[in-house]
Amino acid sequence: GIPDSIGTMANDLSMNFLHLYASPEIELNTSSLKMYLRLPISYLPYYYHDRLTESKEHADKLYASPSLTLNYFITPQLSVSAIGSIHQTAVNEQLFYSGLLMSNYRNLYLGYVDYHTGHSSSTSLDLAYRNPLKSFFSRFGFGYNWYYSPLSSSRQFIGDYILNSYLNRDNWFHDWYVNGRISKGFEWLNTIFILNSDYHKTTASIYQNNVKTNYVSTEWNINPRITMSLARWCNIGYELNYNKNKLLMKDTSKETKLKNLSQKASATFSPSKTCYFKLMCEHYYNEITTDVNKSLVLADADFTYCLKSGWELNLVVTNIFDQKHYSYRAYSGTMSLYESYKIRSRNVIASVYFRF
């Protein structure tokens, strides 16, 4: 059982509140400028009653979260937009309990009764350029977010259990990101090329066994796509997703890097109005740990033949290579992690349709 030194599993409480709010807005529209100013205001009286300890608490909270949005059209093709906001965090009534909650055989959660709230702010800037005559579209963005809370999440390892709780200590994190998208069409082979990419960096901290640990997390994604018409009867497409993550524990200089890759390719053949064939292939590469990685290849096919009398014959084959499991095992010190997922086995579906 759970030691009494950790806490009791009993809870008997109620948390009631009334939400009154107003959301005034100011909007300005001209030929080149659009502005939106929003000022939502909320008033919430809270009433908390713990029947086990016979404690009663009441608090009144007033929140204001203004935001400003600007859209400016420099030219008919070039525009810029900016967004800024300040947000007051509401009381998290889900934390208002004094006993323990158990989510699984190991993780315990201890609530925290506190009416102090934090706040956050965010800014973003986007630049967009469009040229439909040249089939060119692009967008680039930058953003920064900052968050503060008077409470810090904490984890304590007590025997066979992990106690998840909160500490009355200031907690903050900030992150920034850049992203972009480029799309270009070419007359050559009716080609369309699209490129998406983004970079995200977060600086924050976490408490473990009452020890504060600062960390920096970064993530980079790139996603190119291309479609081409090799002939009137043949279209091909290809898409790649590459993701790279890095986690740096600043106090210990411990660094973890992982990357994932997925690819999708398709080819469609239609030599006549009555015949259609499509082949699709997917490849997944996942880096579980720095020493463990896993690859998986899936393929599907779809064939359709139409008869002049209105009959249509269709044959679909999924999971051509008959992949049945996706599993891996990773070791970390004295711990072993094993995951296994079943994949639907090969399916062959033949169908006959009549259209009238």
Side-chain angles (χ1 to χ4, degrees):
I2 300 174
D4 295 335
S5 59
I6 300 180
T8 176
M9 293 291 294
N11 286 287
D12 186 7
L13 56 92
S14 64
M15 179 63 167
N16 301 303
F17 63 89
L18 178 67
H19 188 184
L20 303 175
Y21 68 94
S23 184
E25 298 183 4
I26 298 177
E27 181 177 340
L28 173 65
N29 282 316
T30 67
S31 58
S32 59
L33 176 65
K34 293 183 179 180
M35 183 189 76
Y36 305 93
L37 176 63
R38 300 176 176 88
L39 185 59
I41 301 174
S42 300
Y43 170 71
L44 292 92
Y46 292 91
Y47 302 91
Y48 171 73
H49 180 201
D50 191 326
R51 299 181 184 87
L52 295 180
T53 61
E54 288 301 327
S55 61
K56 296 182 180 180
E57 295 187 20
H58 166 68
D60 296 305
K61 304 295 291 187
L62 182 66
Y63 305 105
S65 301
S67 65
L68 177 65
T69 301
L70 296 173
N71 294 316
Y72 181 65
F73 296 89
I74 302 173
T75 68
Q77 298 174 328
L78 182 64
S79 64
V80 60
S81 63
I83 301 175
S85 65
I86 299 175
H87 177 71
Q88 287 184 272
T89 308
V91 170
N92 188 357
E93 68 278 358
Q94 300 297 320
L95 299 180
F96 277 58
Y97 58 94
S98 56
L100 295 173
L101 296 178
M102 195 173 193
S103 63
N104 52 43
Y105 71 96
R106 193 178 184 189
N107 280 276
L108 300 170
Y109 291 84
L110 179 62
Y112 196 92
V113 180
D114 187 86
Y115 290 96
H116 293 91
T117 60
H119 55 270
S120 63
S121 61
S122 64
T123 58
S124 65
L125 181 68
D126 287 275
L127 185 67
Y129 177 77
R130 311 169 187 83
N131 193 332
L133 296 179
K134 295 185 177 181
S135 300
F136 181 78
F137 303 87
S138 63
R139 186 192 64 80
F140 301 95
F142 170 82
Y144 178 81
N145 303 300
W146 185 85
Y147 172 83
Y148 164 78
S149 172
L151 300 179
S152 295
S153 58
S154 172
R155 292 194 306 173
Q156 297 184 61
F157 298 86
I158 305 175
D160 296 330
Y161 300 99
I162 300 176
L163 179 61
N164 300 271
S165 59
Y166 289 86
L167 301 175
N168 188 18
R169 300 177 185 177
D170 291 347
N171 177 36
W172 58 267
F173 80 82
H174 62 86
D175 61 30
W176 61 271
Y177 64 87
V178 291
N179 55 42
R181 174 186 174 92
I182 296 176
S183 173
K184 180 69 173 79
F186 302 91
E187 293 185 3
W188 179 72
L189 298 180
N190 294 322
T191 302
I192 299 177
F193 176 76
I194 300 174
L195 176 63
N196 296 290
S197 185
D198 64 86
Y199 178 83
H200 197 148
K201 181 177 181 180
T202 302
T203 302
S205 61
I206 187 174
Y207 281 87
Q208 296 191 117
N209 291 335
N210 291 327
V211 177
K212 184 179 180 180
T213 302
N214 299 306
Y215 67 90
V216 177
S217 172
T218 59
E219 180 178 4
W220 177 56
N221 299 281
I222 186 169
N223 169 225
R225 286 182 289 170
I226 187 170
T227 58
M228 303 174 66
S229 296
L230 301 181
R232 291 184 178 180
W233 51 270
C234 179
N235 298 320
I236 62 173
Y238 175 77
E239 179 178 357
L240 180 143
N241 280 283
Y242 178 80
N243 171 269
K244 185 176 182 180
N245 295 276
K246 184 174 74 172
L247 177 64
L248 173 63
M249 312 304 290
K250 299 181 68 175
D251 299 328
T252 61
S253 299
K254 183 179 179 180
E255 186 177 82
T256 303
K257 295 180 181 180
L258 297 175
K259 57 180 176 289
N260 299 286
L261 173 72
S262 67
Q263 303 177 80
K264 297 181 181 180
S266 65
T268 303
F269 305 93
S270 183
S272 66
K273 294 182 179 181
T274 60
C275 185
Y276 169 88
F277 178 71
K278 184 175 183 179
L279 181 64
M280 297 161 287
C281 186
E282 300 173 78
H283 169 241
Y284 298 93
Y285 171 85
N286 296 319
E287 195 171 62
I288 313 304
T289 67
T290 54
D291 301 321
V292 178
N293 55 71
K294 186 73 176 180
S295 290
L296 178 68
V297 177
L298 302 171
D300 304 325
D302 186 347
F303 175 76
T304 300
Y305 186 77
C306 300
L307 302 176
K308 294 183 179 180
S309 58
W311 292 94
E312 180 179 296
L313 308 178
N314 178 252
L315 180 66
V316 177
V317 182
T318 60
N319 195 1
I320 296 175
F321 302 129
D322 201 21
Q323 300 276 14
K324 297 181 178 179
H325 290 91
Y326 177 83
S327 61
Y328 60 85
R329 185 182 298 275
Y331 298 91
S332 177
T334 58
M335 296 182 62
S336 173
L337 174 64
Y338 176 74
E339 294 288 348
S340 178
Y341 303 94
K342 289 185 177 181
I343 300 175
R344 179 182 292 178
S345 58
R346 182 192 299 123
N347 281 314
V348 179
I349 303 174
S351 306
V352 178
Y353 301 94
F354 181 72
R355 302 183 183 278
F356 58 91

